[in-house]
């Protein structure tokens, strides 16, 4: 592997999200849920906040610390699910998980936008957990709300 | 030490990773295995694989002789008084858990204290947290100096007459600090506490004499010292082990079994319930032979040269922080400004260089250092100055790469 291969991992748009994260911070007020999730093998941490109303993700913000892949993925995830219906957010999460496993995905289903830049992560098995951390946090939050 | 011959003993080193000759700098996680250990395992499984201490057949006798022979090699390696004091375990973690369970839970009560340090590996923290929770004992920490060392004055202040157990790592897997465990044991004994030494990072690299250290328990792993995974050792003073209940119950460790009660075998077998780790122990014996042949003093000297060279070269890199004291064992834990350690490790891997990134099973120490994760390069007898040059080159490239993409 050369640095050219590294470029498939560290795409410009990923670095942009890492350096200038979107939706980083906290949601004001108390009508939102908070999900803490970490990757115990490496110490990456995310605190995700979701505001869900009438089955719609009205707002999503995150904070935390981690590598370029985990933090850029969190930034992209919040961008992607904001304004989406919960079932669509979960369907995107499934699509993302398939993408990480190197499966063929139907790009017509959703406009993945910046997220497609993370496709290269599937070639770096040790880093897949970094990319999926924020999505897992989102799924957990939605799941817990569904149960309450 | 003939480094070329040493390297030739490790077949795994002779390969390309991602198009570059492998530079393996993760021996603190697990060491590579010399061909003599690999062949010893092969020989056991091919020619005399049998259970030990039971059958009367020839293979069983051979396996038993080799297994108990390995115990004698371990005894000499750490200078234990008797093979009764050498218990084979799955690794350091099981060894510490054995003491926590069979000594800690049995002996401690509400008024008692356990003393450890914030630099411990999780395997020397969590067992004591659990003992404290189960018995009501108090868990206390010896504070660290700013450079990541322990001041004996702080040990004197932390250890009291209430202290029953002091458990400290010999060598830090993150900072490289070599702790004064002999002096700490002396303080512990003055207060009638027992001293456990976590030797996972010292047994592979330093000459250890458990009688000289006068520790009550010493735990280490085979896989970090050229041996196979799944084998470790708990050394304990005979009088203490004698009074302790077994950790696991079942076959192999019993004397008489009645319907409602049983009695235990004598030491060390009462702590080795079930079919023991026969292949692992025999492999560890071969690893000890290998290390003895080269000489632990030669290995320690080689690593000392390497780590000093690494510190000197790594300090040439702007924006690189090294954690831990100046005088240290053979490892360097570091961070590069503005590049997360996972990203450092990924870029180095693309160059064929294996380093560790993460919290190194030492989350309390990461918080003490005020970092979420770090990268670590660790050295062993087969590493060279060229390996360190490659690392420094790789780190310069990492900086350039992340400088460019930003």
């Amino acid at each position: 592997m050369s640095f050219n291969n590294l470029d498939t991992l560290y795409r410009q748009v990923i670095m942009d999200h890492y350096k200038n994260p979107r939706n980083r911070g906290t949601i004001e007020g108390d009508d939102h849920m908070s999900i803490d999730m970490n990757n115990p093998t490496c110490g990456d941490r995310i605190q995700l906040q979701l505001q869900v109303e009438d089955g719609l993700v009205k707002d999503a913000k995150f904070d935390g610390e981690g590598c370029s892949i985990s933090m850029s993925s969190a930034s992209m995830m919040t961008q992607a699910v904001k304004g989406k219906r919960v079932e669509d957010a979960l369907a995107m999460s499934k699509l993302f998980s398939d993408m990480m496993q190197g499966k063929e995905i139907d790009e017509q289903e959703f406009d993945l936008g910046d997220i497609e830049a993370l496709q290269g992560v599937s070639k770096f098995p040790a880093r897949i957990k970094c990319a999926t951390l924020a999505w897992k946090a989102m799924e957990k939050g939605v799941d817990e709300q569904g149960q309450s | 030490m003939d480094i070329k011959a040493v390297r030739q003993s490790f077949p795994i080193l002779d390969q390309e990773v991602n198009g570059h000759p492998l530079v393996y700098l993760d021996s603190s996680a697990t060491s590579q295995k010399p061909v003599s250990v690999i062949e010893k395992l092969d020989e056991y499984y091919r020619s005399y694989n049998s259970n030990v201490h039971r059958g009367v057949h020839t293979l069983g006798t051979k396996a038993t002789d080799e297994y108990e022979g390995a115990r004698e090699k371990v005894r000499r390696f750490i200078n234990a008084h008797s093979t009764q004091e050498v218990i084979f375990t799955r690794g350091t973690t099981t060894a510490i858990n054995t003491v926590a369970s069979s000594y800690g839970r049995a002996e401690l009560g509400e008024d008692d204290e356990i003393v450890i340090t914030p630099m411990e590996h999780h395997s020397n923290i969590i067992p004591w947290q659990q003992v404290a929770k189960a018995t009501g004992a108090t868990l206390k920490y010896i504070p660290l100096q700013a450079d990541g060392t322990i001041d004996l004055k702080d040990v004197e202040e932390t250890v009291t007459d209430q202290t029953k157990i002091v458990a400290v790592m010999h060598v830090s897997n993150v900072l490289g600090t070599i702790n004064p465990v002999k002096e700490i044991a002396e303080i512990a004994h003055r207060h009638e506490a027992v001293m456990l030494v976590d030797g996972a990072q010292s047994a592979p690299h330093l000459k250890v004499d458990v009688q000289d250290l006068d520790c009550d328990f010493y735990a280490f792993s085979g896989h970090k010292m050229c041996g196979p995974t799944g084998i470790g050792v708990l050394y304990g003073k005979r009088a203490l082990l004698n009074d302790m209940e077994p950790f696991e119950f079942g076959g192999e460790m019993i004397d008489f079994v009645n319907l409602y009660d049983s009695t235990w075998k004598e030491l060390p077998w009462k702590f080795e319930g079930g079919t023991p780790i026969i292949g692992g122990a025999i492999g560890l014996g071969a690893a000890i032979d290998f290390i003895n042949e080269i000489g632990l003093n030669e290995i320690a000297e080689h690593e000392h040269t390497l780590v000093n060279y690494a510190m000197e070269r790594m300090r040439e890199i702007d924006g690189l922080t090294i954690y831990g004291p100046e005088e240290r064992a053979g490892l360097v834990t570091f961070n590069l400004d503005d590049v997360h350690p996972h990203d450092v490790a990924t870029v180095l891997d693309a160059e064929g260089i294996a380093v560790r990134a993460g919290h190194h099973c030492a989350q309390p120490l990461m918080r003490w250092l005020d970092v979420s994760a770090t990268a670590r390069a660790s050295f062993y007898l087969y590493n060279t100055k060229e390996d360190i040059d490659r690392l420094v080159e790789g780190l310069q490239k990492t900086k350039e790469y992340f400088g460019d993409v930003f």
Side-chain angles (χ1 to χ4, degrees):
Chain A
M1 198 182 301
S2 67
F3 276 20
N4 292 342
N5 295 85
L6 276 182
D7 290 341
T8 64
L9 179 65
Y10 297 116
R11 301 266 300 273
Q12 196 72 41
V13 57
I14 295 177
M15 289 303 138
D16 179 49
H17 274 271
Y18 181 42
K19 258 209 124 176
N20 310 297
R22 328 294 199 258
N23 304 311
R24 186 158 189 146
T26 50
I27 299 175
E28 302 276 304
D30 52 8
D31 58 343
H32 61 266
M33 60 183 120
S34 289
I35 308 102
D36 284 358
M37 200 168 258
N38 64 354
N39 183 347
T41 55
C42 63
D44 281 2
R45 273 207 311 249
I46 180 172
Q47 295 98 42
L48 178 68
Q49 296 193 319
L50 291 173
Q51 189 181 0
V52 178
E53 263 177 49
D54 305 323
L56 203 71
V57 182
K58 285 197 71 177
D59 202 359
K61 284 197 187 301
F62 80 100
D63 214 336
E65 45 195 333
C67 62
S68 57
I69 303 300
S70 66
M71 292 296 110
S72 63
S73 181
S75 167
M76 292 175 189
M77 186 278 292
T78 53
Q79 206 178 30
V81 301
K82 234 161 116 170
K84 293 272 188 328
R85 299 207 58 78
V86 166
E87 58 264 32
D88 288 344
L90 289 172
M92 286 181 92
S93 188
K94 171 79 173 63
L95 201 68
F96 186 73
S97 164
D98 287 349
M99 187 169 100
M100 287 301 105
Q101 287 165 46
K103 289 184 193 160
E104 283 289 312
I105 54 164
D106 180 4
E107 285 172 23
Q108 305 303 318
E109 201 178 340
F110 290 104
D111 176 16
L112 287 175
D114 290 352
I115 294 172
E116 263 180 84
L118 284 166
Q119 197 141 24
V121 177
S122 66
K123 305 266 191 320
F124 292 79
R127 306 300 296 276
I128 292 172
K129 274 190 187 159
C130 311
T132 53
L133 183 67
W135 288 97
K136 291 225 172 88
M138 188 274 290
E139 282 185 12
K140 189 179 171 213
V142 168
D143 192 45
E144 277 171 9
Q145 210 204 24
Q147 284 169 5
S148 62
Chain B
M1 200 174 92
D2 179 356
I3 184 70
K4 214 172 151 203
V6 167
R7 285 184 66 83
Q8 277 168 356
S9 312
F10 291 85
I12 203 169
L13 297 176
D14 183 23
Q15 65 170 307
E16 290 205 340
V17 170
N18 296 324
H20 301 275
L22 168 65
V23 172
Y24 185 77
L25 300 177
D26 198 18
S27 295
S28 289
T30 196
S31 75
Q32 296 304 344
K33 320 303 174 200
V35 75
S36 60
V37 169
I38 299 166
E39 281 173 357
K40 189 75 184 176
L41 288 171
D42 187 77
E43 178 196 73
Y44 163 64
Y45 285 114
R46 272 178 200 275
S47 56
Y48 56 90
N49 171 56
S50 280
N51 217 324
V52 293
H53 298 308
R54 37 195 103 186
V56 291
H57 59 73
T58 305
L59 298 192
T61 306
K62 168 78 172 155
T64 304
D65 287 350
E66 289 281 344
Y67 179 70
E68 292 303 329
R71 198 189 306 276
E72 169 60 19
K73 285 176 188 179
V74 172
R75 185 199 68 74
R76 268 182 271 147
F77 187 69
I78 58 172
N79 194 31
H81 185 256
S82 138
T83 50
Q84 290 195 315
E85 299 176 321
V86 175
I87 295 156
F88 285 124
T89 69
R90 194 173 67 81
T92 307
T93 299
T94 310
I96 296 173
N97 274 281
T98 301
V99 178
S101 176
S102 295
Y103 186 85
R105 287 187 190 229
E107 299 291 329
L108 268 65
E110 272 180 14
D111 298 329
D112 297 330
E113 297 167 352
I114 305 160
V115 170
I116 63 175
T117 82
M119 76 170 88
E120 299 309 310
H121 188 281
H122 292 161
S123 63
N124 200 27
I125 298 177
I126 306 165
W128 305 117
Q129 290 176 345
Q130 295 303 104
V131 170
K133 281 182 194 164
T135 62
T138 307
L139 183 59
K140 288 167 73 179
Y141 286 86
I142 300 165
L144 300 184
Q145 297 296 297
D147 66 348
T149 57
I150 293 173
D151 186 334
L152 289 172
K153 270 187 253 149
D154 291 321
V155 182
E156 296 273 10
E157 274 176 30
T158 314
V159 177
T160 72
D161 285 343
Q162 264 68 55
T163 306
K164 291 286 179 293
I165 297 173
V166 179
V168 176
M169 68 198 327
H170 198 171
V171 171
S172 164
N173 64 319
V174 175
L175 304 167
T177 314
I178 303 166
N179 287 319
V181 288
K182 183 177 176 176
E183 290 76 10
I184 298 173
E186 200 269 313
I187 294 168
H189 291 154
R190 228 187 294 137
H191 295 276
E192 289 177 20
V194 299
M195 172 80 182
L196 177 139
V197 176
D198 170 357
Q201 300 291 345
S202 57
H205 307 284
L206 314 170
K207 182 80 197 108
V208 170
D209 180 333
V210 289
Q211 293 190 68
D212 177 58
L213 294 178
D214 197 23
C215 54
D216 299 284
F217 300 104
Y218 182 88
F220 63 101
S221 298
H223 72 96
K224 292 186 200 288
M225 49 179 283
C226 302
T229 53
I231 184 75
V233 171
L234 170 63
Y235 158 83
K237 282 183 185 166
R238 193 163 164 271
L240 288 165
L241 291 175
N242 251 336
D243 288 345
M244 284 159 58
E245 283 286 294
F247 179 52
E248 285 184 317
F249 303 90
E252 195 83 9
M253 47 76 68
I254 45 82
D255 191 8
F256 286 104
V257 179
N258 304 304
L259 281 179
Y260 300 102
D261 198 14
S262 301
T263 55
W264 321 134
K265 254 189 193 166
E266 58 183 329
L267 287 174
W269 303 292
K270 84 170 182 186
F271 286 102
E272 294 180 0
T275 292
I277 312 148
I278 306 166
I282 293 171
L284 175 59
I288 289 174
D289 287 343
F290 174 81
I291 287 172
N292 284 341
E293 213 164 287
I294 291 163
L296 259 177
N297 291 336
E298 281 71 18
I299 293 171
E301 201 177 306
H302 178 71
E303 288 173 8
H304 197 247
T305 309
L306 285 180
V307 77
N308 285 343
Y309 182 66
M311 302 264 281
E312 183 191 314
R313 293 283 339 258
M314 289 168 83
R315 286 204 174 107
E316 292 167 12
I317 302 169
D318 279 341
L320 187 140
T321 308
I322 292 174
Y323 303 99
E326 198 56 36
E327 185 58 35
R328 58 170 64 208
L331 62 92
V332 182
T333 294
F334 62 94
N335 264 325
L336 266 185
D337 279 357
D338 302 323
V339 189
H340 193 278
H342 299 172
D343 294 318
V344 172
T346 293
V347 179
L348 290 176
D349 183 54
E351 292 284 295
I353 304 162
V355 298
R356 175 84 184 265
H359 55 54
H360 315 286
C361 298
Q363 288 182 15
L365 181 60
M366 292 295 115
R367 281 191 281 277
W368 184 81
L369 289 169
D370 198 23
V371 294
S372 64
T374 60
R376 177 188 70 194
S378 53
F379 316 116
Y380 207 10
L381 70 162
Y382 37 69
N383 289 117
T384 61
K385 283 190 172 175
E386 290 71 42
D387 289 347
I388 291 161
D389 292 337
R390 288 268 308 279
L391 170 69
V392 170
E393 219 173 280
L395 288 169
Q396 296 285 15
K397 282 189 186 172
T398 309
K399 271 190 62 173
E400 279 165 35
Y401 185 78
F402 277 87
D404 285 350
V405 288
F406 276 140

